[in-house]
Amino acid sequence: MEKKIKKVVLAYSGGLDTSIIIPWLKENYDGCEVIAVSGDVGQTTELEGLEEKALKTGASKLYIEDLRKEFIEDYIYPTMKAGAVYENKYLLGTSFARPVIAKRIVEIAKAEGADAICHGCTGKGNDQVRFELTIKAFAPEMAIIAPWRTWELKSREDEIEYAEKHNIPLKINRETNYSKDKNLWHLSHEGLDLEDPANEPNYDKILELGVSPWKAPDKATYITIHFEKGVPTAIDGEELDSISIIEKLNKIGGENGVGLCDMVENRLVGMKSRGVYETPGGTILYTAHELLESICLDKATQHYKQLIAIKYGEIVYDGQWFTPLREALDAFVDKTQENVTGDVKLKIYKGNVFNAGIKSPNSLYSEDIATFGEDDCYNQMDSQGFINLFGLPIKVKAMLDSKKLK
């Protein structure tokens, strides 16, 4: 016999989906208690007035958990150090925000003695997987309620109508009904005119974290980022905590039109979807980190790390954060970062991030060896024997092919 649901912990953002889920849960689960949980991963103004709204729509209480530091240091930085990017473009802003939020929701659900955890993810999206795999990792027996799979509402327009009938205040209307996700790392935009890949995004209308490259200043901005073992610790000589680093780089990147990504991606559930992402600070960090690695990593390690970066990006995108493979890859990445310490100077101009100089006490770059000028440490005649051996298989095959033709 199925256990009666008396208490539900809801992943609550105050957006369209979760705003109507509170009354829907109480209607469909015999007046159950609903405890709302919002994980603060840098949504800023989206958290304003959230408690009043949650309580007014039927929640018994609202937890607002500050997860920003944990989000950056335990999720963003490991992914950045791995160089993980999904399908060559997406810097995984929504993907790694879900496990940190879901993990805290499980902790609260256990403390509250909840019967179930509820989320507002759609049955078409990736987030349902990311939330539920995390729940399974920490509370494998916990019941999960996903209203989008069962309720009678079929679209965001239906949701808005439901909200209006139940007097639930919304910050959007039918004309501004983009599906958005915002945190310290990025802002995503989906839906409406963006659903057709043939449509050019109206950047002047949708951008929130910065300006478009063509509206950026005509003057370049220079910054220097210092890294310790692959982790950024200072900007222009000023030591900053992890939150301040991301916020400062977002400001600089946003002002200069950095970090726009318009892509059609392959969702985990099988379909293609189109999204526009703003990741100004993240784009700067990824560029700087990769530049520093170019002088600190040996060739074999650097090339192998590029291979695992693809897999790491898939793991994060697919919601498999709490898995033995991700932990094993982190161990490899951390080993590669032991010497990734130094300074990267960047020139930022109209959406571009250019290399303006790299320095590291652990640099493997030798000007004495690489020079085109005269040197006494590299015997150029050594290359002749190397080429003869390196090219021997090609030479042998060509000789045999020539004999076959005779």
Side-chain angles (χ1 to χ4, degrees):
M1 181 177 177
E2 188 175 337
K3 182 180 178 182
K4 180 176 172 60
I5 304 297
K6 296 180 179 178
K7 184 184 290 189
V8 179
V9 170
L10 168 67
Y12 184 73
S13 68
L16 176 58
D17 296 322
T18 57
S19 292
I20 66 172
I21 282 177
I22 295 176
W24 183 89
L25 283 171
K26 298 181 80 68
E27 288 175 0
N28 288 270
Y29 288 89
D30 195 23
C32 68
E33 180 184 359
V34 179
I35 297 169
V37 179
S38 293
D40 179 4
V41 286
Q43 305 94 306
T44 59
T45 56
E46 291 182 11
L47 297 171
E48 293 175 3
L50 215 56
E51 183 174 17
E52 180 184 359
K53 183 176 180 179
L55 298 180
K56 189 175 291 186
T57 51
S60 62
K61 67 174 79 169
L62 170 69
Y63 288 86
I64 297 182
E65 302 293 292
D66 187 352
L67 304 173
R68 294 174 300 164
K69 187 173 184 290
E70 181 183 356
F71 176 42
I72 297 171
E73 296 176 8
D74 294 349
Y75 297 81
I76 291 177
Y77 283 173
T79 305
M80 180 205 68
K81 289 191 295 182
V85 180
Y86 186 67
E87 297 189 335
N88 299 315
K89 288 186 176 182
Y90 178 39
L91 296 185
L92 300 163
T94 299
S95 307
F96 48 33
R98 296 305 179 240
V100 66
I101 294 171
K103 178 172 174 282
R104 185 64 185 127
I105 288 171
V106 170
E107 292 168 352
I108 291 173
K110 287 182 174 181
E112 287 282 354
D115 304 304
I117 291 174
C118 178
H119 63 74
C121 309
T122 75
K124 288 185 175 181
N126 301 304
D127 281 345
Q128 58 181 334
V129 182
R130 296 162 184 159
F131 269 109
E132 293 187 30
L133 292 192
T134 301
I135 295 168
K136 291 179 186 301
F138 293 99
E141 305 302 323
M142 182 69 71
I144 298 172
I145 299 173
W148 262 106
R149 299 174 193 160
T150 60
W151 64 14
E152 65 282 4
L153 308 176
K154 302 302 180 185
S155 67
R156 289 174 68 82
E157 288 72 22
D158 286 350
E159 289 183 292
I160 292 174
E161 186 176 332
Y162 182 96
E164 290 171 348
K165 286 182 178 178
H166 289 74
N167 297 314
I168 300 170
L170 299 173
K171 294 181 180 180
I172 63 170
N173 54 48
R174 286 174 172 79
E175 289 70 43
T176 60
N177 186 19
Y178 287 102
S179 176
K180 298 184 181 184
D181 178 72
K182 184 179 182 181
N183 58 47
L184 268 169
W185 190 245
H186 90 155
L187 174 62
S188 65
H189 309 264
E190 294 178 329
L192 297 181
D193 56 310
L194 298 179
E195 289 188 346
D196 185 350
N199 292 332
E200 178 184 6
N202 186 342
Y203 289 111
D204 294 335
K205 176 182 177 182
I206 68 174
L207 295 185
E208 296 181 28
L209 300 185
V211 299
S212 60
W214 43 93
K215 288 198 171 183
D218 294 329
K219 182 181 179 182
T221 298
Y222 284 88
I223 62 168
T224 299
I225 303 175
H226 180 74
F227 289 84
E228 290 285 339
K229 295 185 176 182
V231 174
T233 59
I235 299 175
D236 293 332
E238 180 185 5
E239 294 279 339
L240 296 169
D241 61 61
S242 57
I243 296 174
S244 299
I245 283 177
I246 301 297
E247 289 177 341
K248 185 165 185 175
L249 291 178
N250 275 338
K251 183 175 186 298
I252 295 168
E255 291 171 347
N256 287 279
V258 169
L260 294 188
C261 171
D262 176 6
M263 70 181 290
V264 173
E265 69 198 58
N266 290 294
R267 282 185 179 174
L268 174 58
V269 293
M271 71 187 71
K272 291 183 181 291
S273 67
R274 195 267 190 99
V276 173
Y277 300 101
E278 301 178 60
T279 320
T283 301
I284 294 172
L285 267 186
Y286 262 72
T287 302
H289 180 260
E290 185 177 334
L291 286 168
L292 186 57
E293 283 190 324
S294 73
I295 66 171
C296 294
L297 297 185
D298 65 277
K299 175 184 173 181
T301 301
Q302 185 176 357
H303 286 192
Y304 195 79
K305 185 171 177 289
Q306 289 170 350
L307 296 177
I308 74 102
I310 296 172
K311 185 60 182 176
Y312 201 110
E314 291 176 350
I315 288 171
V316 177
Y317 189 86
D318 293 350
Q320 296 174 310
W321 188 270
F322 297 106
T323 58
L325 178 54
R326 197 273 307 166
E327 293 177 1
L329 291 180
D330 269 351
F332 168 79
V333 171
D334 286 342
K335 182 64 179 178
T336 69
Q337 300 301 291
E338 288 179 352
N339 291 320
V340 184
T341 294
D343 295 288
V344 181
K345 186 177 181 182
L346 301 168
K347 181 178 183 178
I348 302 172
Y349 181 69
K350 288 189 178 295
N352 296 286
V353 183
F354 298 100
N355 175 17
I358 324 166
K359 293 181 180 179
S360 172
N362 305 319
S363 176
L364 299 176
Y365 182 91
S366 171
E367 190 173 350
D368 291 339
I369 293 177
T371 180
F372 282 97
E374 184 179 354
D375 70 84
D376 57 6
C377 59
Y378 183 88
N379 185 349
Q380 298 199 27
M381 280 300 296
D382 289 345
S383 63
Q384 180 175 329
F386 164 73
I387 294 170
N388 286 338
L389 294 178
F390 190 62
L392 184 59
I394 297 173
K395 180 179 178 179
V396 170
K397 183 179 185 302
M399 291 170 65
L400 292 174
D401 289 346
S402 179
K403 286 182 179 180
K404 290 177 183 177
L405 293 174
K406 290 181 180 178

